[in-house]
Amino acid sequence: MIPQEFSHIACRQVDLDALAAIGDDQIAGLVTELSTPGTDRVVAYRQGRRWSACSSRRQWSPLARPAVAGAPEGVYLITGGLGGIGLVLADHLARTAKAKLVLTSRRGLPPRDTWQDYLASHGAQDAASRKIRSVIALEDLGAEVSIGSADVVDEAGMKAVVDEACARFGRIHGVIHAAGIAGGGMIQLKKPEVAAAVLAPKVLGTQVLERALAGSSSTSSCCARR
Ligand SMILES: NC(=O)c1ccc[n+]([C@@H]2O[C@H](COP(=O)([O-])OP(=O)(O)OC[C@H]3O[C@@H](n4cnc5c(N)ncnc54)[C@H](OP(=O)(O)O)[C@@H]3O)[C@@H](O)[C@H]2O)c1
């Protein structure tokens, strides 16, 4: 997006061969790329050769999709589990993996024993009503669903969610990190704090999750990652 918004900035992609040891050739190539005002936007170094992609001749062809084994039956923690992507993946796991699901978000849901009253007193378009209906639909598919409420950058909060999941389900077999805000808008109008708010759940959230899960396996004998 950057060159589309800023005509004076050029972005280039320099692709080094990940399978080859990075040697003097590749480093020299990279230095040349960085110090030359080239016009090639996509460049690749392979076996001592420099390849450039001419965008007008670039073509796309479909890859055969290899058969992928489905997710194994088990307990899945989905951060952002009440959001758009989280609920789609929860639905998939409920249908294909007889999943026990721990769905987390900052706001969570009203207490379960108030759901019927909540649905009766709020319109169908109410955000929490839609999420409650989605959870009920997951349970109708046979999933056991636990709702957790924590900011994914809050380590103590996430640790509590993990501990609660372990206490209820025994162990967590898989984690899907789908908590976040998309943060659209033009780069020119972004302020550092806006970018930080978008990056926090994605980057810090991933680090917090790793620590919360690692801690749980060492402090609780019942809880471990597969
Ligand atoms: N939709 C797409 O096409 C797409 C494509 C590529 C990447 N993504 C990324 O995928 C992630 C989810 O997208 P989505 O479309 O599912 O968004 P969404 O419908 O807005 O759902 C986001 C979910 O994350 C929760 N959440 C947000 N910030 C959180 C935080 N700090 N801690 C805990 N939970 C948090 C939200 O609930 P609360 O507000 O209650 O916390 C909500 O449940 C985002 O990071 C997005 O950038 C989306």
Side-chain angles (χ1 to χ4, degrees), residues 106 153 180-181 183 191-202:
R106 287 166 301 183
V153 303
I181 44 178
K191 294 195 163 28
E193 56 272 22
V194 175
V198 172
L199 288 173
K202 295 175 194 286

Side-chain angles (χ1 to χ4, degrees), residues 15-28 45-48:
D15 184 339
L16 303 180
D17 190 351
L19 297 178
I22 301 287
D24 290 347
D25 281 1
Q26 298 220 48
I27 292 170
Y45 283 83
R46 291 287 182 277
Q47 297 174 347

Side-chain angles (χ1 to χ4, degrees), residues 80-86 104-108 150-152 178-182 201-202:
L82 296 171
I85 290 182
T104 74
S105 65
R106 287 166 301 183
R107 283 168 286 187
D151 191 319
V152 76
I181 44 178
K202 295 175 194 286

